[in-house]
Amino acid sequence: MTAFNRENLPDAVRTNGATPNPWWTNAVVYQIYPRSFQDTNGDGFGDLKGITSRLDYLADLGVDVLWLSPVYKSPQDDNGYDISDYQDIDPLFGTLDDMDELLAEAHKRGIKIVMDLVVNHTSDEHAWFEASKNPDDPHADWYWWRPARPGHEPGTPGAEPNQWGSYFGGSAWEYCPERGEYYLHQFSKKQPDLNWENPAVRRAVYDMMNWWLDRGIDGFRMDVITLISKRTDAAGRLPGEAGSELEDLPVGEEGYSNPNPFCADGPRQDEFLAEMRREVFEGRDGFMTVGEAPGITPERNEHITNPANKELDMLFLFDHMGEGEGRSKWELVPFRTPWLRGVLANQQAAVRNAGWASLFFCNHDQPRIVSRWGDDTSEEARVRSAKAFGLLLHMHRGTPYIYQGEELGMTNAHFTSLDQYRDLESINAFRQRVEEAKIQSAESMMASLELISRDNARTPMQWDASKYAGFTAPDAPVEPWIGVNPNHVGINAAAEFDDPDSVYAFYKRLIALRHDDPVVAAGDWTLIDADDPNVYAFTRSLESAPGVAGGTLLVAVNLSGRTVDLSAEAYALVDNGVTEHDIVISTYGASHAVVSLANRELDPWEGVVVRL
């Protein structure tokens, strides 16, 4: 494992409650979606050699950690989140030698590598699952197998063990003729859930994790790790199964019940995570763990990330990403600053005394934030709103995560037809809601996909203005696996790299602030102006200590496209006057910020950080 070329936070500064301070408390993580980052062999898919070729770009940006979405061997039903061999690289991305080269070259630059860990489920083509089809095999109980509902013919409608629906559409149960039973899959039918109740499953997972850490990786991002413990009755029956003591939820408008309340943050969640910590990470230094945490509250985040409990370093909470959604993910409402502020404030408050926060607006499962909550209808609005949301996120307390292209202000793809999409969730949702359940019109559903489909984040990285945005050669024999956003001609790394006013340059400054200023990295977070309809404002403060310069910062961001008044509480902190020297960073520039504050207003998408 590698060491950084920068200083960690001194122990005189309190971070998550651990001593010494973990290295990642003033780090910035950059997520790479390998199939869309850089193609070096012209097959239309990004690869490991492509990531290695772009390490200097990432080093210039200043990021400390690269999180790679799955590159393991996979049938690619869900773009690699369906793994058929955890200890091999899919030929789509290269070889184990390519992985070793990436590790070595990243470590030379002081950059750590974190791999995606997908162990709630495997591919149905994994050897474990193939063996599990035989009820006499030692792997027979490695997955959630159940017989058909009594009185029903196996494999016919209504014979499923309960009425749970998959998050990707349809039933969460798939019939397997070879075994004569159904298996549970919360996601695609090609992603059967592993049975973590079986100690042999957990042992195999821990052995695999140790194998990768011994090979040199620096940690794991753990996919839907809070779904591994299911709620069952005393006899091991799931809710809604015949004879179960646990009642299922009612069936919803799509024809299925929701498994999440019974699969998220289950009764053995803490036990499993603590066991993983002992079996994999005990005695190791320099690693980082972060878990994707559907169904986890801020209060539970404090417990799981509290170092005293020895579970995970960080979690991704998702309650704030529900902003803009109505009764379902696919029914949209306008953006509301107060709603977002309230949810993020709860997340910050929960880890005030112990634990740590993960800070993100974008990833491979979310649309581009500048299109979803910002404004990409003009170049000026795109740049301003991209900077505004970047400043807002990075000034919170926690570890920020940047998703590839976010530092450029990349936008949604704005696809206009269903055949342009590749995402399993999006395609299945259209078919189920429009064609089967008939609960949403095709026009409405296409508008929803344009705004929130996961494919919006998966279009190729925009490196330059050439035919395929520099993702692959202009004369490559095949087109990229998904369409390149046409606006890459104007929005690309080459155009922004040397532009001091670009979104890229702004992100470089945000990253440097977290490295260099302990107040940004670890200062207390206090919300102000809690009722303001447009301005999200808070302070960050840190007491000075030997070798540590403390102080207080005011952060105020106008999350709207119009000029608005600065509220009384924020203005009271700057009413004695502010000079350019006091401006730490601003989306418009220091001189403009001074004028805005003097006028007690913020221009459209204006954000400012003031040292008080």
Side-chain angles (χ1 to χ4, degrees), residues 34-169:
R35 65 169 44 216
S36 297
F37 194 65
Q38 181 67 70
D39 173 24
T40 61
N41 61 7
D43 66 355
F45 296 89
D47 46 55
L48 292 174
K49 285 185 177 296
I51 299 171
T52 302
S53 74
R54 295 293 186 176
L55 287 174
D56 287 340
Y57 167 87
L58 297 165
D60 178 84
L61 182 60
V63 296
D64 307 291
V65 184
L66 304 182
W67 150 30
L68 308 184
S69 284
V71 292
Y72 312 94
K73 197 168 186 181
S74 166
Q76 302 295 325
D77 179 64
D78 186 27
N79 290 1
Y81 283 88
D82 49 315
I83 297 168
S84 57
D85 188 341
Y86 288 104
Q87 292 176 232
D88 200 1
I89 299 296
D90 195 281
L92 191 70
F93 303 116
T95 65
L96 280 170
D97 286 342
D98 294 336
M99 185 68 197
D100 291 340
E101 180 187 19
L102 172 59
L103 283 168
E105 291 299 318
H107 289 172
K108 285 180 185 178
R109 293 164 174 81
I111 298 174
K112 291 178 180 277
I113 300 286
V114 167
M115 292 183 73
D116 229 310
L117 182 76
V118 189
V119 290
N120 173 72
H121 48 265
T122 70
S123 166
D124 66 344
E125 297 182 32
H126 197 290
W128 297 345
F129 186 76
E130 289 292 338
S132 187
K133 293 177 182 178
N134 180 354
D136 297 321
D137 190 275
H139 295 81
D141 193 34
W142 282 42
Y143 297 83
W144 289 85
W145 291 101
R146 292 293 188 271
R149 182 170 290 276
H152 292 74
E153 181 181 349
T156 62
E160 295 85 3
N162 67 15
Q163 298 185 89
W164 283 358
S166 161
Y167 306 128
F168 284 179

Side-chain angles (χ1 to χ4, degrees), residues 368-402:
R368 296 289 181 180
I369 204 65
V370 70
S371 299
R372 183 181 187 184
W373 294 342
D375 184 356
D376 66 2
T377 58
S378 72
E379 176 63 7
E380 181 179 5
R382 180 191 70 84
V383 171
R384 298 296 185 205
S385 58
K387 290 180 179 181
F389 280 104
L391 184 145
L392 178 70
L393 184 81
H394 283 252
M395 287 300 111
H396 279 76
R397 186 170 181 269
T399 296
Y401 290 73
I402 298 170

Side-chain angles (χ1 to χ4, degrees), residues 309-479:
N309 296 322
K310 298 183 177 181
E311 296 187 33
L312 297 178
D313 297 329
M314 288 172 272
L315 291 176
F316 290 128
L317 303 187
F318 289 95
D319 43 355
H320 65 294
M321 298 312 299
E323 169 51 38
E325 297 176 8
R327 292 179 303 167
S328 81
K329 174 176 180 175
W330 306 107
E331 297 180 21
L332 309 178
V333 299
F335 174 77
R336 303 156 295 180
T337 295
W339 194 96
L340 178 67
R341 178 174 53 218
V343 175
L344 290 179
N346 288 339
Q347 292 182 11
Q348 291 283 297
V351 293
R352 184 181 302 276
N353 298 315
W356 200 244
S358 295
L359 310 174
F360 77 98
F361 287 150
C362 298
N363 65 31
H364 64 291
D365 284 335
Q366 305 295 335
R368 296 289 181 180
I369 204 65
V370 70
S371 299
R372 183 181 187 184
W373 294 342
D375 184 356
D376 66 2
T377 58
S378 72
E379 176 63 7
E380 181 179 5
R382 180 191 70 84
V383 171
R384 298 296 185 205
S385 58
K387 290 180 179 181
F389 280 104
L391 184 145
L392 178 70
L393 184 81
H394 283 252
M395 287 300 111
H396 279 76
R397 186 170 181 269
T399 296
Y401 290 73
I402 298 170
Y403 179 72
Q404 63 183 47
E406 185 178 356
E407 78 280 10
L408 304 177
M410 280 180 60
T411 72
N412 277 1
H414 297 299
F415 290 147
T416 57
S417 64
L418 191 63
D419 61 10
Q420 292 175 287
Y421 289 93
R422 302 291 180 265
D423 175 37
L424 192 64
E425 179 193 43
S426 299
I427 295 168
N428 286 352
F430 183 95
R431 290 172 178 166
Q432 183 157 338
R433 295 182 66 83
V434 175
E435 299 171 0
E436 297 175 14
K438 301 184 187 305
I439 56 175
Q440 194 165 351
S441 70
E443 294 76 16
S444 169
M445 191 64 188
M446 287 302 298
S448 297
L449 292 177
E450 182 180 0
L451 189 64
I452 62 173
S453 168
R454 302 191 303 178
D455 273 346
N456 286 302
R458 300 176 179 184
T459 56
M461 180 71 175
Q462 294 168 203
W463 296 108
D464 60 38
S466 63
K467 181 179 179 182
Y468 296 128
F471 165 71
T472 194
D475 58 353
V478 296
E479 294 185 347

Side-chain angles (χ1 to χ4, degrees), residues 297-310:
T297 64
E299 293 73 26
R300 284 287 289 139
N301 179 59
E302 178 188 23
H303 177 90
I304 292 173
T305 65
N306 185 336
N309 296 322
K310 298 183 177 181

